[in-house]
Amino acid sequence: MNQFDFRHKNFMQNGILMYNLAKKLFPICRSITGKGFRTSLKILNYELIKNLNISNKLGGGGI
């Protein structure tokens, strides 16, 4: 997928890119602490953000 460029006037291309991204993300079952949430973040990082820092924090400890 090409990176979105909302400044570009080709709204049809941006719409197609957004729809294809939604088709990838919609079927993923997610909760805030689950595997699906991390999978969604990885997809968004690959498709849009490119430098998102994703880390895990074990429960039960201090922040």
Side-chain angles (χ1 to χ4, degrees):
M1 174 182 283
N2 296 330
Q3 189 170 9
F4 293 103
D5 183 1
F6 294 108
R7 296 166 296 170
H8 195 274
K9 297 295 184 208
N10 190 344
F11 297 113
M12 181 64 101
Q13 179 182 347
N14 283 335
I16 291 169
L17 292 172
M18 290 177 8
Y19 178 76
N20 288 333
L21 180 59
K23 282 190 345 185
K24 284 183 184 179
L25 291 172
F26 182 76
I28 299 171
C29 183
R30 30 189 180 277
S31 69
I32 193 68
T33 60
K35 180 182 174 186
F37 184 74
R38 288 186 294 276
T39 300
S40 297
L41 286 177
K42 288 177 185 176
I43 291 171
L44 290 172
N45 186 47
Y46 178 77
E47 300 288 348
L48 297 176
I49 302 168
K50 307 295 185 209
N51 61 356
L52 181 65
N53 183 14
I54 301 171
S55 60
N56 294 320
K57 174 72 174 158
L58 297 176
I63 297 178

